[in-house]
Amino acid sequence: MTLPNDLDSSRLPQHVAIIMDGNGRWARQQGKIRTFGHQNGVLAVRDTVEAAAELGVKFLSLYAFSTENWKRPRWEVNALMELLIDTISKETKTLMDNNIRLQAIGDINSLPEKCRKQLDETIQKTNSNTRMTLILALSYSSRWEITNAVQEIVSEAIKGNIKPEDINDNVISDHMCTRFCPDPELLIRTSGEYRISNFMLWQIAYTELFFTNKLWPDFRRNDFFDAIRDFQKRERRYGMLSENQPDDNDA
Ligand code: FPP
C-alpha cells in the first residue's frame, strides 16, 4: 500500500479512536435493512485497521457496540453479535499475519458466551503481537466505565488500601478499561453527527476531534489519512499558551 507522502511520520497520533456511525442510514439509502449496513461496515473496519497499522499508529479503538445498543431490536442485536463472532474469527489470521494485537474494553461479561469465547481466543492468540493494538469497545459506555472505576476505588478505600486524599488523575486512569494504553490523541466520528455518545469521556479530555459526513460503510483509508492530515495541522496546547504567542510578562 502506498502511504501519502505529505503525512509526517514523526507526528502521528499514537492512539486514534473512532465512533463508527451511519451503518443504518447507509443501508436505508440502498433500500436494504440495517444489518446490510453493519456487514458493509466490516469492509470499512478492515481498510481502516490496515491503513492505521501501515501508517504506524500504535493503538486503534473502535466503538463497535455501546451499552445503549442493547436496546435495539432483538434481531439487530443478534445479527451484530453474530457478525462480531464471524468477523473476529475470520480476521484472526490477518491479525496474526500483520502482528496486530486484539483487546476489548467494556462490560465483556454481558456479551453472549459464544462472543466472549471467540474474543478470549483471539485476544490470547494475538497477545504477543507488537505492531498495533486494535481495541474493540463492546457493551461499552463511559458512564458504565466511570461507575465501575468509582466502585473499585471506593472498595479499595474501605479496605484501607488507599486514602481519599491520594485519589488523583492517575489512580482514576488506572481503574479505567483503557489502563493499558495512552489516551487517544485523535477521535474520529463518521456520519455527520457532532456527538460523543458516551465514548471515552474521561480519556478524551485533550483529544482532537474530527467529524466527517461519510457514513461508516463508505469510510476508507483515504478518509483516515484526511483525518490524520487535519490532526497534523492542529496546534495542541493542553490549556497552555501557544508557542507563537508571547507571554504578556515577556514584553
Ligand atoms: C453504528 O451505526 C454502528 C454500529 C452500532 C455497529 C458497528 C459495527 C460494525 C461496523 C461491524 C462489526 C465491527 C467489528 C469491529 C468487527 P448505526 O447502526 O447507529 O447507524 P445509523 O446511525 O445510521 O442508524
Side-chain angles (χ1 to χ4, degrees), residues 68-81:
E68 290 75 24
N69 287 157
W70 289 114
K71 295 186 198 123
R72 291 193 177 193
R74 194 78 244 157
W75 65 269
E76 187 180 349
V77 171
N78 289 344
L80 269 167
M81 291 299 145

Side-chain angles (χ1 to χ4, degrees), residues 20-25 34 38 64 69 72 83 87 136 216:
M20 309 181 288
D21 194 20
N23 292 354
R25 276 163 283 168
R34 301 177 54 79
H38 300 319
N69 287 157
R72 291 193 177 193
L83 186 62
T87 308
L136 296 185
W216 178 251

Side-chain angles (χ1 to χ4, degrees), residues 134-145:
L134 171 63
I135 303 162
L136 296 185
L138 295 169
S139 192
Y140 173 91
S141 77
S142 273
R143 288 188 174 184
W144 167 83
E145 181 185 40

Side-chain angles (χ1 to χ4, degrees), residues 221-237:
R221 70 188 62 212
N222 282 332
D223 301 301
F224 185 76
F225 296 145
D226 283 348
I228 304 283
R229 198 171 283 116
D230 194 79
F231 169 85
Q232 293 194 333
K233 285 195 209 123
R234 301 192 195 179
E235 185 191 20
R236 307 191 70 214
R237 295 207 299 272

Side-chain angles (χ1 to χ4, degrees), residues 55-91:
L55 199 56
V57 167
K58 296 310 282 181
F59 298 90
L60 178 70
S61 293
L62 303 178
Y63 201 7
F65 193 87
S66 72
T67 310
E68 290 75 24
N69 287 157
W70 289 114
K71 295 186 198 123
R72 291 193 177 193
R74 194 78 244 157
W75 65 269
E76 187 180 349
V77 171
N78 289 344
L80 269 167
M81 291 299 145
E82 284 302 323
L83 186 62
L84 276 164
I85 297 166
D86 194 51
T87 308
I88 298 166
S89 148
K90 283 192 186 133
E91 299 297 333

